[in-house]
Amino acid sequence: MAVKTSQSQPLLAGVIGSPVAHSLSPVIHGEWARRERKAAYYIPMHVEDDDEAFNAAIHSLMKLGFSGVNITLPHKERAIKCATRKSQAAEKIGAANMLTFIAGDIIADNSDAEGFKSSLLAELDKNADNKKVMVLGAGGSARAVLHGLSDIVGITSVFITNRTKARAQELASKFGVATVAWDDRASALEAFDIIINTTSLGMTGKPPLSLPIDTLKPRAVAMDIIYSPLETAFLKSAKQAGAKTVNGLEMLMHQAVPGYKSWLGDEAIVDDGLRQKLLSVLSQRDVT
């Protein structure tokens, strides 16, 4: 799916979201391009939460010569609808975090599921059984998480909860999981080994995730796909309760690899150097 052209012209890619100013994706792709000495540019673009605005932006970027874009909240389900071709992962998940432009085609793909799996597996106790999971949210990111969970050995049951009951039921039916009523999410916590927040609640500039964790298992795993801030109020409370916490930074780095290799370069390595660069950028944002 690579669309890289001759380096006589700069290579262009980017990320579309609303909001998007917080995105660390430009830092990741910029670092990889710097390492390879590529004339490549990865640009963050704010596009309003609107079908017409999104479709207009995509077609404008194609005309400008962009190789592709990453898609973040709230456009991941919208992205797959505008595609002319879809990968198996994007088709199954029903959402896309990558759009690649080739000869007039818009090709949808989803690297979120693999990025999620890589980050969660690194923290799981592989000897522990009865891994019962609760997923908060029912958007494009939740779809990728549910798809990723289906491939993890040892997961015994998955439940989804969302403010809009119909959305939760739709995903539960699609992925063969159960539901928990949004109003019962706190009281149900004690039954779960892994809790994953896929909503934007707790993100910088967004309302906090309201989830009292008094009944959280002391050895539970609490994961938030948000990375701005790096430690959300949800993760901070979970850590204080004795849970192991996983922020969204690892998932972000791993999901970026396929896009970089398709659009901008040849070598995208997730290592401690990249991790430290991102942590430095985040610490500067906290200060300012």
Side-chain angles (χ1 to χ4, degrees):
M1 198 178 290
V3 295
K4 297 182 287 291
T5 58
S6 168
Q7 277 292 268
S8 61
Q9 294 182 340
L11 299 169
L12 299 174
V15 56
I16 288 177
S18 177
V20 77
H22 70 283
S23 178
L24 289 176
S25 292
V27 180
I28 295 172
H29 289 263
E31 173 63 13
W32 285 334
R34 184 195 65 78
R35 293 178 182 182
E36 291 197 291
R37 298 184 178 181
K38 293 279 188 180
Y41 300 92
Y42 185 95
I43 302 166
M45 291 163 281
H46 179 98
V47 174
E48 292 297 330
D49 187 1
D50 174 82
D51 288 347
E52 186 176 346
F54 180 81
N55 290 333
I58 293 301
H59 286 93
S60 294
L61 294 173
M62 292 174 70
K63 290 178 182 178
L64 289 169
F66 275 66
S67 298
V69 286
N70 282 122
I71 308 296
T72 188
L73 293 170
H75 300 301
K76 292 183 178 182
E77 292 172 78
R78 185 172 283 131
I80 199 167
K81 293 177 183 178
C82 80
T84 57
R85 291 162 52 192
K86 306 165 190 175
S87 70
Q88 286 187 337
E91 188 83 61
K92 172 64 176 177
I93 293 167
N97 75 318
M98 288 176 58
L99 292 178
T100 299
F101 310 138
I102 300 179
D105 268 336
I106 303 172
I107 305 170
D109 201 353
N110 197 305
S111 62
D112 276 339
E114 287 301 318
F116 158 74
K117 281 173 56 181
S118 295
S119 57
L120 180 61
L121 284 172
E123 301 299 331
L124 291 184
D125 180 354
K126 294 177 177 57
N127 296 318
D129 49 16
N130 191 34
K131 295 189 179 77
K132 192 174 180 181
V133 185
M134 180 163 71
V135 177
L136 293 93
S141 296
R143 289 169 175 266
V145 165
L146 291 170
H147 182 67
L149 286 169
S150 67
D151 290 335
I152 296 179
V153 175
I155 299 294
T156 58
S157 57
V158 178
F159 288 72
I160 184 171
T161 184
N162 189 62
R163 285 172 293 186
T164 304
K165 183 179 179 181
R167 295 267 293 175
Q169 291 175 331
E170 177 190 350
L171 259 65
S173 176
K174 179 179 177 65
F175 289 94
V177 301
T179 62
V180 172
W182 184 254
D183 290 342
D184 296 335
R185 64 194 185 283
S187 60
L189 275 183
E190 62 183 347
F192 292 94
D193 305 292
I194 304 169
I195 300 91
I196 305 167
N197 177 38
T198 72
T199 75
S200 62
L201 295 173
M203 181 187 291
T204 300
K206 297 285 187 178
L209 172 65
S210 177
L211 186 66
I213 58 170
D214 298 343
T215 60
L216 187 67
K217 290 182 179 181
R219 298 187 66 183
V221 175
M223 180 175 183
D224 204 323
I225 68 167
I226 293 169
Y227 58 84
S228 180
L230 194 61
E231 184 176 64
T232 60
F234 163 58
L235 291 185
K236 185 175 182 180
S237 297
K239 183 184 291 185
Q240 291 172 345
K244 182 180 290 187
T245 60
V246 186
N247 60 50
L249 198 60
E250 294 296 319
M251 177 176 171
L252 176 73
M253 290 188 291
H254 285 282
Q255 65 79 32
V257 171
Y260 181 82
K261 288 185 174 181
S262 291
W263 310 323
L264 301 178
D266 304 304
E267 197 170 87
I269 298 175
V270 174
D271 56 18
D272 196 53
L274 179 62
R275 189 174 294 107
Q276 292 305 316
K277 188 175 185 66
L278 296 178
L279 290 173
S280 175
V281 171
L282 284 171
S283 67
Q284 291 172 22
R285 289 180 181 179
D286 291 343
V287 169
T288 56

